[in-house]
Amino acid sequence: MANNKLYKGSLTTIILKLLDEGGKMYGYEITQKVKVITKGELKITEGALYPALHKLEADGMLDVEVEKVDNRLRKYYKLTEKGSKETNSKLQELQDYIKTMQLLVNPKFSLD
């Protein structure tokens, strides 16, 4: 992706959507899933991911489970009920934004 700054405003939505589809996930797993889905076009750094995860947790959107894996503690994140509702809201916001941007960049093309 030519401009990774564009995804930063959508990072919360990306995280919520992945957790909605995948159940519980740990941080590195989220970064790798995004890389696979986008065929390497989008790379989420730890420096962007973990502050977003911590904010979502503080806002009551995520629950955290700690499990011991290979003699190490691993934090798994999963949506709360509030997080599930927020996911739907954020996805609708993003779809509306994409439609609006599409009208601006290509008025002859419509997603409807």
Side-chain angles (χ1 to χ4, degrees):
M1 178 179 266
N3 189 350
N4 274 344
K5 291 178 185 174
L6 290 175
Y7 94 85
K8 288 184 182 174
S10 305
L11 182 56
T12 296
T13 306
I14 292 167
I15 293 167
L16 292 172
K17 177 66 175 163
L18 287 175
L19 292 173
D20 185 53
E21 289 180 346
K24 67 180 185 178
M25 298 174 79
Y26 58 97
Y28 181 75
E29 183 178 14
I30 293 170
T31 64
Q32 295 309 298
K33 183 78 169 176
V34 168
K35 193 186 297 185
V36 168
I37 291 170
T38 66
K39 297 181 173 91
E41 288 293 315
L42 190 61
K43 296 178 182 96
I44 297 177
T45 64
E46 289 181 12
L49 177 65
Y50 287 102
L53 287 170
H54 295 149
K55 180 167 181 0
L56 286 167
E57 180 185 1
D59 291 344
M61 307 291 174
L62 301 181
D63 276 334
V64 176
E65 293 178 4
V66 178
E67 292 182 17
K68 196 170 190 177
V69 178
D70 296 329
N71 245 1
R72 294 179 53 204
L73 295 179
R74 181 179 286 167
K75 271 189 176 182
Y76 284 92
Y77 299 89
K78 67 178 186 175
L79 293 179
T80 61
E81 186 176 327
K82 182 178 178 183
S84 292
K85 290 177 185 173
E86 184 68 11
T87 300
N88 294 331
S89 174
K90 288 284 191 189
L91 288 172
Q92 187 59 55
E93 282 177 21
L94 184 58
Q95 289 171 348
D96 292 345
Y97 176 75
I98 291 169
K99 282 183 185 178
T100 301
M101 291 305 295
Q102 191 60 53
L103 288 171
L104 289 170
V105 298
N106 190 359
K108 295 177 184 174
F109 181 80
S110 175
L111 294 175
D112 293 322

